[in-house]
């Protein structure tokens, strides 16, 4: 088995392959340590922790804690902490390939035929190949001449200090997280998003709540294409009627799967208009070839836990003669902004034309959130009208990551809103906000609320609702 890419998906595939065979090679171009640990999940969340800790000072006065005005952020020290943590995470990962000796091949792999790879001058005959080549940030060719004034997440965490003024172009998950964190660390941020939705949301109401909350941190311009022009050493960024002069631009307009230079045209399969090969997301098999594709490289669900699952599936199948299909987990995507944005199960865009019931909670009055001084945002859950089964939710609330997990587990187990409401809800907790939305759905579905406390012995009476 040949694995192309020693990122999260590739290493996960490697672990699975090694359960069956030691006849493998792993080929990696560029730095080891995975994108997630080096320049993505881990440094971004480390930065966000610092930014949010510093931001807490904004509620100190209201809480009777004095002296917040004199707190200051030491940016080089904060960035140093991010890199130190990052280096520690990366060093743990390097151990996976350290002892592989000649089975670990640094270099760029290309297909010459379905079972023949080239790495430089070297030829590798592989019965099965796993493509786990990840993705890279999109930087339009016309913006490249601006050089190091255009940043991407690949280089952001290497900065020793931060610019005074920064435009962030693209407010998907990555752009939003980084824009808000940098704004909270004192950078003058302006956010630009060509679409109307931020953080991957599709529910207009939740999007509105999110925009309202995020705009407290920095101005957000949506719905117009962004243009960029040099003005001396500075960059002018304009979209519609908005225009700002900044020192640097963070470009976060999406990521492109690293499949364009892989020689896929040698495989004898039809590629789509983006050059992507056909593949089965339950077996990861490419067409009916002895080739599997996992992680960001396939563009299906470009998230870490999905890359790990896909790597395992690809590894399992590549090490065996018979290709098996595996049930995928409930989709769960989190943006670590404040409020956190979560999309779980089916998105609003996928269910809004079906017969559904929607329950929603406005967190401006949520009691636990009020105590913390972060009572912002809202959430909406979607359930099937026919039987009350939970389908999905879009969330923009504090601690949304935890509500997202609870909901994803409920959806995974095909629970109805009535099933979920039978579970305990402590008081006072953020989860009570979820309970409110569930109760709304239950009420609308049941005519009167369904039983939450069920009678021990009798099925004749409904119990307590
Ligand atoms: C800023 C940011 C924050 C993120 N935060 C989160 C988060 O909080 N949670 C989350 O779930 N996800 C997050 N993600 C997404 C997550 O990082 C990715 O889904 C994950 O890293 C993808 O792993 P992978 O194995 O597919 O790719 P990678 O880890 O990139 O591995 C691919 C490897 O293949 C190598 N390669 C490429 N082409 C070739 C070739 N031809 N030959 C040999 N080797 C090659 C690459 O150099 C690389 O080493 C974030 C992404 C970004 C950008």
């Amino acid at each position: 088995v040949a694995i192309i890419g020693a990122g999260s998906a590739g290493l996960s595939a490697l672990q699975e392959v090694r359960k069956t065979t030691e006849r493998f090679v792993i080929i990696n171009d560029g730095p080891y340590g995975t994108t997630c640990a080096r320049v993505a999940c881990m440094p971004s969340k480390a930065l966000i922790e610092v930014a949010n800790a510093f931001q807490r000072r904004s509620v100190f006065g209201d809480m009777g804690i004095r002296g917040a005005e004199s707190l200051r952020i030491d940016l080089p020290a904060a960035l140093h902490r991010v890199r130190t943590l990052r280096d520690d995470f990366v060093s743990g990962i390097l151990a996976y390939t350290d002892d592989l000796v000649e089975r670990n091949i640094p270099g760029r792999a290309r297909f010459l035929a379905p079972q023949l790879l080239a790495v430089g001058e070297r030829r590798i005959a592989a019965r099965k190949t796993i493509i786990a080549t990840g993705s890279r940030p999109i930087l339009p060719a016309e913006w490249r001449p601006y050089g190091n004034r255009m940043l991407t997440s690949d280089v952001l965490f290497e900065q020793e200090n931060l610019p005074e003024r920064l435009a962030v172009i693209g407010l998907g998950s990555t752009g939003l997280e980084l824009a808000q964190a940098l704004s909270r660390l004192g950078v003058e941020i302006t956010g630009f998003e060509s679409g109307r939705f931020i953080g991957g949301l599709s529910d207009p109401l939740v999007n509105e709540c999110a925009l309202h909350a995020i705009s407290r941190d920095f101005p957000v311009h949506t719905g117009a294409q962004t243009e960029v022009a040099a003005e001396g050493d500075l960059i002018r960024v304009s979209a519609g009627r908005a225009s700002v002069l900044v020192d640097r631009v963070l470009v976060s307009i999406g990521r492109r799967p690293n499949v364009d230079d892989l020689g896929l045209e040698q495989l004898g399969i039809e590629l789509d208009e983006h050059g992507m090969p056909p593949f089965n997301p339950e077996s990861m098999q490419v067409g009916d070839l002895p080739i599997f594709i996992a992680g960001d490289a396939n563009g299906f669900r470009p998230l870490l836990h999905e890359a790990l699952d896909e790597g395992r599936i690809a590894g399992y199948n590549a090490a065996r003669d018979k290709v098996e299909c595996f049930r995928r987990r409930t989709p769960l995507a989190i943006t670590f902004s404040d409020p956190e944005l979560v999309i779980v199960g089916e998105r609003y865009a996928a269910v809004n034309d079906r017969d559904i019931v929607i329950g929603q909670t406005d967190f401006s009055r949520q009691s636990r959130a009020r105590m913390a001084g972060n009572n912002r945002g809202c959430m909406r859950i979607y359930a099937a009208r026919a039987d009350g089964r939970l389908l999905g939710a879009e969330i923009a609330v504090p601690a949304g990551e935890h509500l997202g997990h609870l909901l994803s587990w409920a959806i995974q187990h095909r629970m109805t809103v009535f099933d979920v409401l039978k579970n305990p809800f402590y008081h006072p907790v953020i989860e009570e906000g979820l309970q409110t939305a569930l109760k709304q759905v239950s009420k609308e579905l049941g005519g009167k609320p369904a039983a939450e406390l069920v009678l021990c012995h009798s099925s004749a009476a409904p119990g307590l609702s």
Side-chain angles (χ1 to χ4, degrees):
V1 177
I3 302 169
I4 313 179
S8 303
L11 293 176
S12 170
L14 175 66
Q15 279 179 288
E16 206 52 51
V17 166
R18 292 191 85 174
K19 290 178 187 168
T20 308
T21 177
E22 285 295 314
R23 299 191 62 197
F24 65 83
V25 290
I26 184 159
I27 308 157
N28 190 64
D29 187 34
Y32 284 69
T34 77
T35 293
C36 175
R38 284 189 310 105
V39 290
C41 328
M42 304 309 259
S44 63
K45 265 81 266 179
L47 187 77
I48 288 167
E49 287 298 337
V50 179
N52 288 351
F54 187 50
Q55 178 69 11
R56 282 296 285 159
R57 76 195 187 290
S58 67
V59 295
F60 285 178
D62 184 43
M63 289 178 165
I65 306 170
R66 304 293 171 225
E69 333 53 73
S70 60
L71 288 175
R72 60 179 193 89
I73 184 88
D74 176 348
L75 277 179
L79 294 170
H80 179 73
R81 178 181 190 267
V82 169
R83 283 192 287 270
T84 306
L85 278 168
R86 185 268 319 265
D87 291 345
D88 192 45
F89 295 128
V90 167
S91 69
I93 291 167
L94 295 178
Y96 286 99
T97 40
D98 272 355
D99 64 341
L100 297 180
V101 199
E102 74 280 0
R103 286 177 300 175
N104 174 20
I105 305 172
R108 194 163 193 80
R110 274 181 69 83
F111 284 98
L112 298 177
Q115 292 180 309
L116 186 63
L117 294 167
V119 182
E121 295 302 305
R122 187 166 170 183
R123 297 291 173 267
I124 296 163
R127 276 189 63 205
K128 311 275 182 70
T129 299
I130 297 169
I131 302 171
T133 48
S135 61
R136 61 184 185 275
I138 296 173
L139 183 60
E142 62 273 24
W143 292 354
R144 284 178 199 271
Y146 300 113
N148 63 6
R149 286 176 289 178
M150 305 304 259
L151 305 173
T152 66
S153 55
D154 272 0
V155 296
L156 181 73
F157 303 105
E158 286 312 314
Q159 310 296 306
E160 291 295 329
N161 214 329
L162 294 172
E164 254 174 62
R165 293 160 299 179
L166 180 82
V168 178
I169 303 182
L171 296 176
S173 200
T174 297
L176 204 52
E177 285 184 356
L178 295 176
Q180 191 180 44
L182 295 173
S183 153
R184 290 182 167 196
L185 292 172
V187 181
E188 195 180 316
I189 297 282
T190 312
F192 293 90
E193 166 56 51
S194 59
R196 294 271 172 212
F197 290 90
I198 57 171
L201 295 169
S202 71
D203 186 320
L205 252 144
V206 179
N207 189 56
E208 216 32 63
C209 295
L211 274 171
H212 184 71
I214 302 281
S215 305
R216 291 163 51 115
D217 282 286
F218 59 91
V220 175
H221 303 287
T222 60
Q225 280 302 329
T226 310
E227 277 160 30
V228 164
E231 271 189 35
D233 283 348
L234 304 177
I235 304 265
R236 179 161 297 281
V237 180
S238 320
R241 267 181 270 157
S243 177
V244 286
L245 206 52
V246 293
D247 305 289
R248 297 268 190 282
V249 176
L250 177 66
V251 184
S252 57
I253 56 175
R255 296 177 66 84
R256 178 166 296 140
N258 292 325
V259 294
D260 38 348
D261 190 27
L262 262 183
L264 295 183
E265 59 288 353
Q266 308 295 334
L267 300 182
I269 45 165
E270 204 167 316
L271 305 176
D272 72 10
E273 69 272 27
H274 306 293
M276 297 297 290
F279 75 100
N280 179 340
E282 292 178 328
S283 68
M284 313 321 298
Q285 188 176 15
V286 174
D288 55 7
L289 296 172
I291 296 173
F292 303 85
I293 185 164
D296 282 19
N298 64 37
F300 179 58
R301 292 183 188 167
L303 295 168
L304 191 273
H305 67 286
E306 302 286 3
L308 297 179
D309 279 356
E310 293 181 359
R312 290 191 69 184
I313 298 172
Y316 180 96
N317 280 329
R320 285 171 177 77
D321 290 331
K322 184 166 177 279
V323 174
E324 299 282 2
C325 104
F326 291 81
R327 256 185 237 142
R328 299 298 299 267
R329 299 181 214 238
T330 299
L332 173 63
I334 300 173
T335 299
F336 292 84
S337 51
D338 173 21
E340 289 184 327
L341 310 186
V342 183
I343 302 165
V344 53
E346 293 191 85
R347 306 164 79 226
Y348 175 80
V351 295
N352 75 335
D353 57 356
R354 309 219 300 251
D355 196 8
I356 56 165
V357 179
I358 299 180
Q360 72 187 58
T361 309
D362 171 2
F363 268 62
S364 63
R365 302 289 306 157
Q366 214 279 333
S367 57
R368 185 65 186 280
R370 283 175 70 193
M371 294 170 203
N374 62 0
N375 47 314
R376 287 183 282 284
C378 66
M379 63 180 292
R380 301 226 292 169
I381 60 171
Y382 321 119
R385 187 181 293 279
D387 54 5
R389 196 156 62 78
L390 270 172
L391 301 174
E394 294 197 16
I395 298 173
V397 306
E401 60 182 289
H402 305 299
L403 303 189
H405 275 89
L406 290 179
L407 280 167
S408 71
W409 296 353
I411 294 168
Q412 175 95 22
H413 290 279
R414 304 182 62 80
M415 290 168 85
T416 65
V417 286
F418 315 116
D419 298 328
V420 182
L421 279 169
K422 287 185 184 124
N423 292 296
F425 286 84
Y426 208 81
H427 177 70
V429 292
I430 290 287
E431 284 74 2
E432 288 172 306
L434 167 60
Q435 191 183 30
T436 305
L438 290 164
K439 281 191 173 191
Q440 258 182 39
V441 176
S442 157
K443 196 166 169 192
E444 189 172 335
L445 284 173
K448 67 185 177 86
E452 291 174 22
L453 287 173
V454 184
L455 287 167
C456 295
H457 302 298
S458 165
S459 56
L464 302 178
S465 52

